[in-house]
Amino acid sequence: MLNVTPEPIEARRIRVRGVVQGVGFRPFVYRLAVERKLHGWVLNDEAGVEIHVQGPAEAIGRFALAVRNECPPAARVIDLECRPVELLDADAFRILESRHGEAPTTRMSPDLAVCEACLAEMFDEGDRRHGYAYINCTHCGPRYSIIHHLPYDRAATTMADWAMCPRCRGEYDDPVDRRFHAQPTACPECGPAYRFEVWADPGEGEEGGQQTDAVARAARALADGRIVAVKGIGGYHLACDAGNADAVERLRARKFRKEKPFALMVRDPDEARRLVELTGAHQELLGSAARPIVLARARVELPGVAPDTDELGLMLPYAPLHDLLFACGAPSPLVMTSANRSSEPIAYRDDDARERLAGIADAALVGERPIARRVDDSVVAVRSREPLMIRRSRGYAPGTVARLPGGRPILALGADLKNTIALVVDGEVVVSPYIGDLGDLESNRAFEETVRDLLAMYEVGGRDLVVVHDLHPQFESTRLAGGLACRERVAVQHHEAHVASVLAEHDRLDEHVVGVALDGTGWGRDGTIWGFEFFTGSVREGFQRQSWLQPVAMPGGDAAARYPLQAAAAFFGEDAGIDFRQPPFGFGERFFLGRQLVAKNVRCHTSTSAGRLFDAAAAVLGFDREVSFEGQAAIWLEHTAGVASSLPLDFGVLDGCRLLRQVVDARLADRPIAEIASAFHAAIAREIAARAAGLAQEQRLETVVVSGGVFQNRLLLALVERELAERAGLRLLRNVAVPPNDGGIALGQAALARFGSA
Ligand code: ZN
Ligand code: ZN
Ligand code: FE
């Protein structure tokens, strides 16, 4: 008789941290354990997921590997700790109730794109969720946008009003089902539905009918060139056929959106490849669970969609509804733009949407599931094969972007443009979704809502709170900071915050670096306007300003940012000896008005803004109209720049006047605009690299950090990268997780405030 010695049984306790709750993690662990005939349990607690597992050592080892490497698509394991423990009396593997006292700092999952399994069911005629737009499971679907408060339970979501039918309940309670504890689970029997409403034609009222009818009617309206308001995950979109120039034009007119590019949604990846040039990095972002809008070089021209740029912003369907729409015959690509008027925040409540969008949309596809909080689409570009976040919102927020040493909770309020807010609790920095440009009633209300929401969600009270705001005394966010109950208020210099945001997200809080910030407008420590600055220092010890663009008197505040011609006036005095009224310039009155302001020194601000320097160059090269969104002239300039130029422009000692004078001379000499534009970029990049390298050598530093909105410029960043790469021993660090524009400022503010180095 063969004598088989049973393998010795061992026990391990495994602690998993990361995004592991509300994402199907426990059923996944359960399945892994059962497959390997291991015993024990798994549970959720305040720190994440804890697993007790026992069986042969080798099987446990493979199990632990699988837990880390094969986890569900929505989950993200940050840390897995395994230690030997005593054997327990276990004869099976179980999912245990959550341990109580779940702290609200448990990471909340962002909203996730619909998964393949759910899509397959939705398109399967035999499935009970065939054609159901609210299909979801633990691997996919809404999270943040439907949660009223933590802990994440159905009763705390906007699904609380729909009682599960017995079949949905059965799946919800079954540990091996894909919908085990899927809080928003529903079906056509028991869940919310979509309906189609005609808004433009007073003859027709609200329409009932089957849910697929509603989607089919919306698809038909879109194919007919109508503008349809579509309720999605974090708010309403305004949709129309992107190939229909009339529809696009009508949408622009009704939305008061003159030239800012519209985002597109395409049916599938093949369609995306037809429209834009996609690298591997682009495709990865497009298909990721966050499903951001991805910027890529256009291969086709769609009139009216994205004037003045050679890029298109594309996303794939992410709500099941979007896939249904295309399946029902909606044209692809669709314009899918946030439903609002110009710079207002996105509409997300039904009554509000009806009121604000009635004059814009002809019809609406209205879903019954309420949205708890607005979350805009995220926008990402790719630079040197790495993502560059332009707007961090749906799919990313409220994920953690950085860790800071513990201490009092910090609320950092960001800046006035592209506002986002950061909250630091227990050392984790959580950044809010994109709020937008502050200054009007709606945006300020959205800002206050977000502050309240973040504080309530993480149970942070005023008594402990450190409130951080921009140094700018006239910022709306600074004013709003004054109204918040807190223990302490801290002001942070704008460009130091930009540089700190990079170091914080890369977890280099102690590293001494050269920091380069190129930006539109920021209040400087000397009370002038800064925007082209070189610093040295660290987040922990603070930054010292080392050099900067030679200051000019910038005529007018806001107007100089709106009119590139007015910004140009700052760089050309009356004695320039050039008649700018004559061709090739033919400058309009804005320029001469600006020059008068400078001459009389009225309403002028001393400024080192890089944004205005780019605007001025754009004006000299032909962009002479008012910009209709921030950065438009600089984007035009970037896209005007042609192949590398042999034209040597000299920036002198960061002398904008001198550089622009050469731009003027090159134009007078009839050099092609494309060539001058690239030479302008090259001269600035060269000087940035040379100066940064000089500072690095002086202070024995190895890292150059670049940030600020101007570094969204593809060409400039590539040139700076190349220039620095040629200087051995220098490393370039830039923003990846948060935007280099003011959408990333809050993180930098929080980091500097944490160390008192503001
Ligand atoms: Zn799913
Ligand atoms: Zn049901
Ligand atoms: Fe900025």
Side-chain angles (χ1 to χ4, degrees), residues 128-129 164-169 186-191:
R128 67 192 193 90
R129 292 189 178 87
M164 276 181 251
C165 69
R167 292 177 76 179
C168 284
R169 167 60 67 182
C187 75
E189 282 294 306
C190 65

Side-chain angles (χ1 to χ4, degrees), residues 494 498 519 742:
H494 191 89
H498 271 308
D519 203 24
D742 288 1

Side-chain angles (χ1 to χ4, degrees), residues 142-143 145-148 153-162 184 192 368-373:
R143 297 286 188 281
S145 64
I146 58 162
I147 298 174
H148 287 301
D153 269 323
R154 188 175 178 102
T157 71
T158 60
M159 285 297 292
D161 288 347
W162 285 273
E368 290 173 340
R369 185 178 69 200
I371 296 170
R373 59 177 61 75

Side-chain angles (χ1 to χ4, degrees), residues 404-405 496-497 499-505 507-513 536-543 705 747-758:
L404 292 170
E496 295 172 19
V499 172
S501 74
V502 179
L503 292 164
E505 68 158 278
D507 197 22
R508 293 167 184 259
L509 301 168
D510 291 304
E511 186 167 346
H512 280 253
V513 301
T536 56
S538 70
V539 174
R540 187 179 294 273
E541 288 172 10
F543 293 102
V705 168
L747 169 61
Q749 291 175 337
L752 288 168
R754 167 55 77 227
F755 294 106
S757 41

Side-chain angles (χ1 to χ4, degrees), residues 270-295:
D270 283 344
E271 174 84 358
R273 273 188 287 275
R274 186 178 72 78
L275 296 176
V276 292
E277 291 170 19
L278 294 176
T279 64
H282 287 100
Q283 295 183 47
E284 211 170 288
L285 284 167
L286 263 179
S288 67
R291 290 289 153 90
I293 295 166
V294 179
L295 296 178

